[in-house]
C-alpha cells in the first residue's frame, strides 16, 4: 500500500487527481478501524495531516470556515461561541482520544447517517467546500451533500477542504440518544438552530434515515405559525414533534428499532425546541 504525504493543499489535490483510488486519512478514527478489520485495503493512503491549513478555522465573509482537519477538541475549545450546536455535538463524540484525533472533515468524508456533526451542520445551514485539481472548487450545501448510507456528493478526485457554517444568531441545541453517556454511536439524534433574524428554525435528524436530513415540513410549520414574541403553544410544539418524527425513515438494527427511533425523534425535537425557545425568550426579556 502506498502512503502519500503531501505538505500543501495543491500537492494533496494533485495526488488525489493522479490516484483517485487513494483514501484520504485525517484523524484515522474511521479509516484505521476499517483497515484493521480488513473492511477495505486501498491501493494508497493519502495522509492529509501534513497540510497545515486544514487544521485552521477562520471567520470570513460572515461565515465560520472550519478546515477539514480541525479536530473535535478544537471545535469544543474554540468554537463554542459561534457554533454552539456543532460544539455540543462534538462533546458527545467518542472519548477524549477520539475527539483529539477525529475531525468534522472526516465525519463528512465517512458520511455515516449516525455521524454526530451532521445534524447541527444541517440545522445551521452549513456549506461543504470541496475541490479537485482539474475541476476546481464546489460549494455544496450540507443538505445536498449526503446522498445515501455512507455516500456523499464527493467525487473520486475531490477532497473536502472546509465546512462553512453561519455563526449562530440564536440558540442551538443537539441531543443524542445512546445506550450509555460516552463512546456511543447515536441510536438517533436531533439538532435545532433558531435563526431569529430570518424568523426561521433549522433542524437536523441523525441516525434515523439513510442519510442525515432536515425535517422540512416541521420547519415550514414553525415558519408559518411561530410567534417569536410569545411562549410556544403546546399544540404547535406537539405538531412540530409529530412532523419531525414523520420526517424520519429509520431501520431496525442492533442499536434500536425503527419504531423506537421515530418515537425518540419526536421527543428530542420537542425537547430541543423547548430548550432553545426558553433561551430565546430569556434573552429577549434581559
Ligand atoms: C472508538 C470510536 C468512537 C467513535 N465515536 C463516534 C461518535 O460518537 N460520533 C461520531 O460521529 N463518530 C464517532 N466515531 C467515528 C469517527 O471518530 C468520526 O467519524 C470522525 O469524525 C472521523 O474523523 P477522522 O478525522 O478520524 O476521519 P478519518 O478516519 O481520517 O476519515 C474518515 C473518512 O473521511 C475521509 N476523509 C477524511 N478527510 C477527508 C478530506 N479532507 N477530504 C475527503 N475525504 C476525507 C476518509 O477517506 C474516510 O473515508 C468513533 C470512532 C471510534 C474509533
Amino acid at each position: 500500500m502506498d502512503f502519500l504525504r503531501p505538505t500543501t493543499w495543491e500537492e494533496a489535490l494533485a495526488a488525489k487527481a493522479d490516484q483517485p483510488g487513494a483514501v484520504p486519512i485525517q484523524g484515522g478514527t474511521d479509516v484505521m478501524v476499517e483497515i484493521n478489520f480488513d473492511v477495505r485495503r486501498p491501493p494508497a493512503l493519502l495522509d492529509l495531516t501534513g497540510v497545515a491549513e486544514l487544521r485552521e478555522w477562520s471567520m470570513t465573509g460572515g461565515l465560520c470556515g472550519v478546515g477539514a482537519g480541525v479536530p473535535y477538541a478544537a471545535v469544543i475549545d474554540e468554537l463554542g461561541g459561534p457554533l454552539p450546536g456543532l460544539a455540543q455535538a462534538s462533546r458527545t463524540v467518542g472519548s477524549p482520544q477520539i475527539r483529539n484525533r477525529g475531525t468534522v472533515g472526516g465525519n463528512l468524508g465517512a458520511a455515516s447517517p449516525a455521524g454526530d456533526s451532521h445534524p447541527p451542520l444541517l440545522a445551521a445551514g452549513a456549506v461543504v467546500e470541496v475541490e479537485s485539481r482539474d475541476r476546481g472548487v464546489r460549494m455544496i450545501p450540507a443538505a445536498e451533500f449526503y446522498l445515501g448510507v455512507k455516500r456523499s456528493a464527493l467525487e473520486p478526485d475531490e477532497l473536502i477542504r472546509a465546512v462553512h457554517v453561519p455563526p449562530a444568531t440564536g440558540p442551538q441545541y443537539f441531543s443524542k440518544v445512546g445506550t450509555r453517556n460516552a463512546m456511543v454511536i447515536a441510536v438517533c439524534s436531533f439538532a435545532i438552530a433558531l435563526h431569529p433574524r430570518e424568523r426561521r428554525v433549522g433542524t437536523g435528524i441523525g441516525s434515523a434515515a439513510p442519510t442525515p436530513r432536515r425535517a422540512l415540513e416541521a420547519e415550514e410549520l414553525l415558519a408559518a405559525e411561530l410567534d417569536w414574541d410569545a411562549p410556544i403553544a403546546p399544540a404547535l410544539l406537539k405538531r412540530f414533534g409529530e412532523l419531525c418524527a414523520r420526517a424520519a425513515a429509520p431501520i431496525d438494527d442492533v442499536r434500536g428499532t425503527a419504531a423506537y427511533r421515530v418515537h425518540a425523534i419526536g421527543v428530542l425535537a420537542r425537547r430541543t425546541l423547548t430548550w432553545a425557545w426558553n433561551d430565546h425568550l430569556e434573552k429577549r426579556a434581559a
Side-chain angles (χ1 to χ4, degrees), residues 24 26-31 40 72 94 103 106-107 109 116 160 176 184:
Q26 187 69 56
T29 60
D30 278 319
V31 172
R40 61 170 155 182
Y72 293 110
T103 62
N107 216 220
D116 287 322
I160 301 165
K176 167 174 165 179
V184 71

Side-chain angles (χ1 to χ4, degrees), residues 9 16 22-34 40 45-49 54 67-72 89-95 97-119 129-131 145 150 152 154-155 158-162 174 176 180 182-186:
W9 180 241
K16 192 70 172 120
V23 169
I25 177 166
Q26 187 69 56
T29 60
D30 278 319
V31 172
M32 289 314 299
V33 173
E34 288 180 359
R40 61 170 155 182
L45 282 179
L46 176 56
D47 177 13
L48 297 173
T49 56
L54 293 180
V70 173
Y72 293 110
S90 300
R91 276 184 222 114
T92 77
V93 172
S95 60
Q97 294 89 338
I98 296 296
R99 293 193 288 272
N100 280 335
R101 293 289 311 179
T103 62
V104 176
N107 216 220
L108 285 164
S112 160
D116 287 322
S117 70
H118 311 312
E129 178 183 352
V130 307
E131 188 170 353
F145 184 78
K150 300 192 176 180
S152 74
L154 199 66
E155 297 289 346
E158 286 177 326
L159 292 172
I160 301 165
R161 185 171 198 164
F174 171 80
K176 167 174 165 179
R180 56 184 183 183
M183 287 290 277
V184 71
I185 301 294

Side-chain angles (χ1 to χ4, degrees), residues 4-265:
L4 313 170
R5 283 220 74 195
T7 54
T8 65
W9 180 241
E10 288 68 31
E11 280 175 17
L13 290 180
K16 192 70 172 120
D18 293 339
Q19 286 199 56
V23 169
I25 177 166
Q26 187 69 56
T29 60
D30 278 319
V31 172
M32 289 314 299
V33 173
E34 288 180 359
I35 290 177
N36 283 343
F37 283 97
D38 234 354
V39 176
R40 61 170 155 182
R41 194 120 307 251
L45 282 179
L46 176 56
D47 177 13
L48 297 173
T49 56
V51 183
E53 69 171 78
L54 293 180
R55 291 195 303 276
E56 291 166 7
W57 62 266
S58 64
M59 230 21 123
T60 28
L63 292 175
C64 183
V66 183
V70 173
Y72 293 110
V75 175
I76 294 164
D77 292 345
E78 299 163 27
L79 293 172
L83 310 182
L86 186 62
Q88 202 176 22
S90 300
R91 276 184 222 114
T92 77
V93 172
S95 60
Q97 294 89 338
I98 296 296
R99 293 193 288 272
N100 280 335
R101 293 289 311 179
T103 62
V104 176
N107 216 220
L108 285 164
S112 160
D116 287 322
S117 70
H118 311 312
L121 293 179
L122 287 167
V127 175
V128 185
E129 178 183 352
V130 307
E131 188 170 353
S132 77
R133 181 191 63 189
D134 301 331
R135 288 170 300 108
V137 174
R138 289 198 298 147
M139 303 296 278
I140 309 172
E144 294 166 26
F145 184 78
Y146 314 107
L147 297 186
V149 177
K150 300 192 176 180
R151 275 198 310 113
S152 74
L154 199 66
E155 297 289 346
D157 64 341
E158 286 177 326
L159 292 172
I160 301 165
R161 185 171 198 164
V163 58
H164 300 272
V165 195
T169 53
Q172 300 185 349
Y173 279 99
F174 171 80
S175 194
K176 167 174 165 179
V177 175
T179 46
R180 56 184 183 183
N181 283 339
M183 287 290 277
V184 71
I185 301 294
V187 173
C188 64
S189 66
F190 191 84
I192 202 150
L194 303 194
H195 303 281
R197 288 183 204 151
E198 301 154 50
R199 294 283 192 258
R200 193 173 67 75
V201 175
T203 59
I205 292 176
S207 210
T211 64
R213 56 166 66 165
R214 288 165 62 190
L216 287 172
E217 273 188 76
E219 291 185 16
E220 283 161 18
L221 172 81
L222 294 186
E225 297 196 13
L226 206 49
D227 175 353
W228 285 75
D229 300 314
I232 298 187
L236 183 59
L237 189 61
K238 182 166 176 279
R239 187 83 188 112
F240 176 70
E242 287 165 358
L243 288 179
C244 288
R246 207 162 83 183
I251 53 166
D252 294 327
D253 69 10
V254 286
R255 279 178 279 131
T257 63
Y260 173 73
R261 286 179 159 116
V262 168
H263 171 75
I265 288 293

